[in-house]
Amino acid sequence: MEENLREESEPPQKRFRCTQKQWNDWNWQISNRIRTIKQFKEIFNIDPSTLKLEEVIKKYPFAITPYYASLIKKLDYTDPIFAQSVPNVFELEDSKYLVDDPLNESEEMAVPFLVHRYKDRALLLSTTTCSTLCRFCTRKRMVGKKECHISSKRLEKIKSYLLQHEEIKDVIVSGGDPFTQENSFIEEILETLRPIPHIDIIRFGTRVPVVLPQRITPKLVAMLKKYKPLWINTHFNHSSEITPESIEACRKIIDAGIPMGNQTVLLKGVNDNSETMKELCRNLIKIPVKPYYLYSADLVRGSEHFRTPVEQGINIMADLRGRLSGIAIPTFVIDAPGGKGKIPILPNYYIGKKDNLHYLKNFEGEEVIYPD
Ligand SMILES: *Cc1c(COP(=O)(O)O)cnc(C)c1O
Ligand code: SF4
């Protein structure tokens, strides 16, 4: 079954029966996502009944951009791209801790589609659309089911809430993926938020540079540029996602003066070991995207098979420290169940205090004493 969808001998355009021009067009990529069993069979040439896809997608839809599918090197769940995007029968096996909305976002909305958890920050859920549906998505309850974005009327309501809350300095535009929408919609959001005087920064959370890099067009970037200061956080989980196309997408954004960070999810079988994580973080700073958070997988239904012991995350963090540039090291966090916020988890470097002395441990495990 081993087969490289990106072999030199067969460019992906041939497999997807399209021209180079279509391939480079993000609208073509969105319209031609792999979303049905029939398409799956045609493109991957695997019998989907062996994977029991039909049962899984009744509950959780799937969508993969042709571009992201072309990164698959091996047609099974040991491939990091395949594992992240192809439905898995294990999604139907939940443990008792898993829920639909682990971060309690639906309950906590200040106004529809705005989560105001931290005093100074608010999270705007702008759309339910993603170009590629990640199988481990925290927002599986809403993403990909009915594809839409928030209306102008709703945006106005969000604006009045924000105007009344001067403590909010930072708005995170998330979804779904806001960059799956047309420039005009993204600009409408920016035109809504930018005039609010107390909002310092606007952030976008988007996986488009990873799963649909064609979307980062010169026009989009020229539009974004008018609304700085902006920050963009993207979502690379594995080095095999760092391609000439994704590097170019990040370069365009960064060249426009918009800094980029990365949020990775710790995923069993994809990146749950030090070597893979080290390679990812090292490659990210080269393109140059700052590793920001490493998330322990949320307790969301349909993702049990991706969950990794917390100790594994701590061990990876201990392995990174001292062996990788400080700027390449993300903060490992657990986004606490019930919407209690992000909790950083560190290997234990602080042993304790006795008299005036602090007992510490360095990256090599040596004890260090530091007086007050
Ligand atoms: C993650 C998150 C934020 C942003 O947190 P930072 O630590 O500032 O990146 C804001 N609001 C909500 C609801 C979040 O989940
Ligand atoms: S890009 Fe984010 S919101 Fe969209 S499916 Fe993936 S994890 Fe979920």
Side-chain angles (χ1 to χ4, degrees):
M1 221 155 67
E2 195 162 332
E3 192 181 4
N4 188 344
L5 293 190
R6 254 200 172 189
E7 266 172 340
E8 296 298 324
S9 55
E10 200 207 55
Q13 293 79 357
K14 194 168 159 218
R15 178 177 290 258
F16 287 92
R17 295 194 207 100
C18 66
T19 63
Q20 182 70 41
K21 190 158 174 263
Q22 286 173 317
W23 185 261
N24 293 339
D25 173 355
W26 70 274
N27 277 307
W28 182 89
Q29 289 278 343
I30 292 227
S31 318
N32 288 276
R33 289 178 292 172
I34 304 163
R35 301 181 82 179
T36 64
I37 300 279
K38 188 166 164 276
Q39 288 166 314
F40 184 89
K41 215 165 159 175
E42 274 170 21
I43 301 295
F44 294 114
N45 206 12
I46 321 177
D47 177 4
S49 66
T50 59
L51 301 177
K52 300 207 173 93
L53 289 195
E54 202 127 17
E55 274 172 65
V56 186
I57 65 173
K58 257 190 251 158
K59 194 156 180 200
Y60 304 113
F62 84 116
I64 313 172
T65 56
Y67 163 78
Y68 197 62
S70 78
L71 305 185
I72 294 173
K73 293 199 182 79
K74 197 161 173 263
L75 289 169
D76 64 41
Y77 296 107
T78 63
D79 182 280
I81 309 291
F82 192 95
Q84 289 184 68
S85 57
V86 175
N88 189 321
V89 70
F90 291 139
E91 289 174 45
L92 301 174
E93 289 175 23
D94 289 330
S95 80
K96 63 177 179 187
Y97 299 108
L98 304 188
V99 295
D100 282 330
D101 181 10
L103 307 180
N104 206 27
E105 289 174 335
S106 308
E107 294 277 310
E108 264 186 51
M109 294 210 192
V111 275
F113 304 102
L114 190 78
V115 184
H116 187 191
R117 175 173 306 145
Y118 301 102
K119 190 166 178 274
D120 62 320
R121 282 155 282 171
L123 176 75
L124 196 166
L125 302 175
S126 63
T127 170
T128 58
T129 309
C130 277
S131 58
T132 295
L133 297 175
C134 311
R135 304 319 298 170
F136 48 86
C137 179
T138 299
R139 303 199 181 113
K140 254 181 148 156
R141 67 180 188 282
M142 57 172 269
V143 172
K145 293 197 169 157
K146 179 171 169 264
E147 296 195 325
C148 56
H149 65 64
I150 53 172
S151 61
S152 308
K153 220 169 112 194
R154 286 241 148 94
L155 263 181
E156 274 314 303
K157 291 211 170 112
I158 287 172
K159 184 171 185 175
S160 4
Y161 180 87
L162 292 170
L163 281 168
Q164 286 158 19
H165 290 266
E166 280 185 34
E167 69 277 16
I168 297 174
K169 308 290 180 216
D170 175 358
V171 178
I172 299 144
V173 183
S174 181
D177 192 328
F179 283 5
T180 56
Q181 305 301 303
E182 293 293 340
N183 290 0
S184 55
F185 174 69
I186 302 171
E187 186 152 26
E188 188 185 350
I189 295 180
L190 289 166
E191 276 174 346
T192 306
L193 301 178
R194 197 29 99 205
I196 303 175
H198 52 270
I199 291 178
D200 298 334
I201 63 163
I202 300 166
R203 291 194 247 176
F204 284 96
T206 172
R207 211 178 178 202
V208 146
V210 183
V211 292
L212 181 66
Q214 295 78 6
R215 174 66 185 100
I216 308 301
T217 58
K219 262 203 178 126
L220 170 66
V221 173
M223 184 274 286
L224 294 174
K225 231 176 142 166
K226 296 187 286 176
Y227 298 92
K228 293 196 294 185
L230 301 177
W231 291 72
I232 290 181
N233 270 334
T234 190
H235 181 171
F236 286 93
N237 286 328
H238 192 279
S239 268
S240 60
E241 295 169 335
I242 302 179
T243 63
E245 292 92 330
S246 63
I247 293 172
E248 175 63 12
C250 296
R251 188 193 62 75
K252 282 194 199 123
I253 295 169
I254 295 164
D255 279 358
I258 302 169
M260 286 188 73
N262 186 67
Q263 317 203 125
T264 296
V265 183
L266 185 60
L267 298 168
K268 191 158 126 194
V270 174
N271 58 17
D272 62 336
N273 64 80
S274 303
E275 276 318 304
T276 305
M277 197 59 75
K278 213 187 305 176
E279 194 190 339
L280 170 65
C281 293
R282 205 178 49 224
N283 287 330
L284 281 172
I285 60 168
K286 286 196 261 180
I287 69 171
V289 171
K290 163 83 182 97
Y292 178 49
Y293 281 141
L294 170 62
Y295 287 91
S296 189
D298 289 329
L299 298 168
V300 63
R301 280 206 183 102
S303 71
E304 179 69 24
H305 59 296
F306 284 117
R307 299 198 58 233
T308 305
V310 174
E311 286 84 11
Q312 184 66 10
I314 296 174
N315 291 340
I316 290 174
M317 292 310 296
D319 282 344
L320 298 187
R321 182 62 64 188
R323 290 170 187 84
L324 197 59
S325 311
I327 51 161
I329 299 180
T331 303
F332 180 44
V333 292
I334 291 179
D335 214 341
K340 303 283 182 187
K342 294 176 184 73
I343 302 176
I345 308 291
L346 271 177
N348 198 13
Y349 297 110
Y350 189 83
I351 299 160
K353 186 181 177 190
K354 205 174 161 212
D355 304 324
N356 244 358
L357 300 178
H358 297 277
Y359 291 81
L360 314 172
K361 208 166 70 181
N362 80 352
F363 67 98
E364 286 174 315
E366 269 175 275
E367 189 177 274
V368 176
I369 298 171
Y370 182 82
D372 246 346

